[in-house]
Amino acid sequence: MSNPNKEQINDEELMNGNERMEWTVAAEHKKERIDKYITEAVDNVSRSQVQLWIGDGMVTVNGAVVKANAKLSEGDLIELQIPEPAAVEIVAEDIPLEVVYEDSDLIVINKQRGLVVHPAPGHTSGTLVNALMHHCKDLSGINGELRPGIVHRIDKDTSGLIMAAKNDRAHASLAAQLKDHTVNRRYIALVHGHLNHDQGTVDAPIGRDTNDRKMYTVTERNSKHAVTHFTVTERINDYTLLELKLETGRTHQIRVHMKFIGHPLVGDPTYGRNKGIKMQGQALHAAILGFVHPTTGEYLEFSAPIPQDMEDVLASLRSR
């Protein structure tokens, strides 16, 4: 990445302008249309947006510009040069927010499960950013028009605490703290199986899964350093409740690391198991967020209780 600050803070490749992505087509995807292939490979992007990229020559196959209906062959090298986001109008929307803290510099939200953090090309409404624009009016502009105020993010189906900056000075301070790993971010997760150790660290690099373009995996190829610490807080039947602390902020980091050690998150539609407890999204909650206030220098720490759907699952398990 050209911007090391962004690399440390946010591994969301799509939203960093001028990013380049590439894939080598596996046998099971031969004869597939290239626009369909890329749409499934890139998070939060519509097929129409992909077709526009193809039409603008931003996509090549084996070095040649192609049409949107081009069929792929095994071994084809697809390259996508994601352009800088075009000027778009992000509309403020009256979406309910649970505000945990707010002052003139920043705001901390307890995000509900199912809410996307920021707009993406071709998908510009119904996000946390739309809601913040309605609530705050003023947000920092460092991360561009699609991500005003956004310093870090959590997955759509992960609930919990997320902070946003209201001015560029606050944004720079919070971003620096994330880069220096001094922000205290702790998550609660329910995973399959019993972990043998009460505490542990997963130190394993994460990159895109070459066999499934929608997924990330632990790999040495085109990967980035990723570290997750965990502590067992409760063992319940065939499940374990964990507190996790992030050192890095890679896409799907906790979900990938827990799958890597054989204990995927309950309810995870991408990295989980198709048996046992059902949830609408993974049982993962950003429970604690602590940082130094950009203006006062005071350390602030916030906590958010486990959401009701996770509580219901835990109560059900404990009653068995």
Side-chain angles (χ1 to χ4, degrees):
M1 296 215 176
S2 59
N3 184 338
N5 201 38
K6 283 185 177 179
E7 180 179 356
Q8 291 292 336
I9 297 166
N10 191 332
D11 194 32
E12 186 67 335
E13 296 165 304
L14 173 62
M15 299 313 302
N16 294 334
N18 283 331
E19 290 295 335
R20 178 177 171 278
M21 304 175 76
E22 66 176 45
W23 306 269
T24 300
V25 177
E28 60 266 33
H29 298 294
K30 64 181 181 182
K31 297 184 180 180
E32 191 171 305
R33 281 178 58 127
I34 189 170
D35 57 346
K36 178 175 181 291
Y37 184 100
I38 294 176
T39 303
E40 293 177 356
V42 180
D43 293 334
N44 299 322
V45 66
S46 67
R47 192 162 176 171
S48 59
Q49 176 62 63
V50 170
Q51 290 170 345
L52 287 174
W53 286 342
I54 294 172
D56 289 341
M58 309 305 291
V59 175
T60 61
V61 176
N62 302 323
V65 174
V66 295
K67 294 183 178 179
N69 63 354
K71 299 294 181 63
L72 298 169
S73 299
E74 181 181 359
D76 279 348
L77 176 63
I78 302 171
E79 295 176 274
L80 165 63
Q81 187 71 43
I82 298 177
E84 289 282 2
V88 294
E89 182 180 359
I90 305 300
V91 178
E93 297 178 57
D94 187 9
I95 300 171
L97 291 176
E98 182 179 338
V99 178
V100 177
Y101 175 83
E102 182 175 13
D103 61 22
S104 59
D105 288 316
L106 58 95
I107 184 169
V108 177
I109 300 293
N110 183 16
K111 186 186 82 70
Q112 60 267 41
R113 194 186 312 282
L115 183 63
V116 175
V117 169
H118 54 71
H123 179 80
T124 58
S125 65
T127 73
L128 176 63
V129 163
N130 299 93
L132 286 172
M133 290 178 67
H134 181 272
H135 180 87
C136 301
K137 313 300 181 189
D138 52 344
L139 292 167
S140 73
I142 288 178
N143 265 339
E145 296 179 359
L146 291 177
R147 294 188 297 175
I150 297 301
V151 184
H152 66 128
R153 75 183 200 105
I154 54 180
D155 291 338
K156 171 188 172 186
D157 287 326
T158 298
S159 59
L161 298 171
I162 182 170
M163 57 186 173
K166 291 188 174 182
N167 55 64
D168 289 354
R169 181 182 54 79
H171 192 126
S173 172
L174 297 173
Q177 293 178 57
L178 284 160
K179 179 183 178 183
D180 293 339
H181 304 159
T182 57
V183 174
N184 186 14
R185 290 182 293 167
R186 294 180 183 271
Y187 291 74
I188 295 173
L190 182 66
V191 301
H192 289 273
H194 271 195
L195 274 76
N196 294 326
H197 304 288
D198 288 341
Q199 293 182 318
T201 297
V202 184
D203 184 349
I206 291 177
R208 283 197 180 266
D209 189 333
T210 56
N211 296 317
D212 189 328
R213 298 153 286 155
K214 298 289 287 184
M215 299 176 66
Y216 289 80
T217 189
V218 170
T219 177
E220 296 293 336
R221 181 183 180 188
N222 296 324
S223 57
K224 295 170 185 172
H225 178 58
V227 179
T228 304
H229 305 282
F230 68 83
T231 300
V232 173
T233 58
E234 186 176 0
R235 293 183 175 88
I236 320 169
N237 301 319
D238 293 328
Y239 300 88
T240 303
L241 190 64
L242 300 174
E243 180 182 281
L244 305 109
K245 182 176 182 179
L246 295 181
E247 274 195 24
T248 53
R250 306 307 177 205
T251 301
H252 301 173
Q253 179 173 320
I254 290 174
R255 301 161 67 187
V256 171
H257 273 171
M258 290 302 102
K259 179 187 178 185
F260 177 64
I261 64 172
H263 298 280
L265 268 62
V266 167
D268 192 329
T270 304
Y271 303 98
R273 298 173 179 170
N274 293 322
K275 61 180 181 180
I277 299 170
K278 302 295 183 184
M279 283 187 61
Q280 296 298 317
Q282 57 274 4
L284 180 61
H285 177 65
I288 294 176
L289 180 64
F291 54 88
V292 174
H293 192 279
T295 298
T296 67
E298 179 186 4
Y299 176 74
L300 302 177
E301 184 170 293
F302 306 96
S303 62
I306 296 174
Q308 192 59 50
D309 57 354
M310 279 186 69
E311 285 285 12
D312 291 343
V313 167
L314 292 171
S316 174
L317 289 174
R318 289 167 182 145
S319 67
R320 292 182 181 178

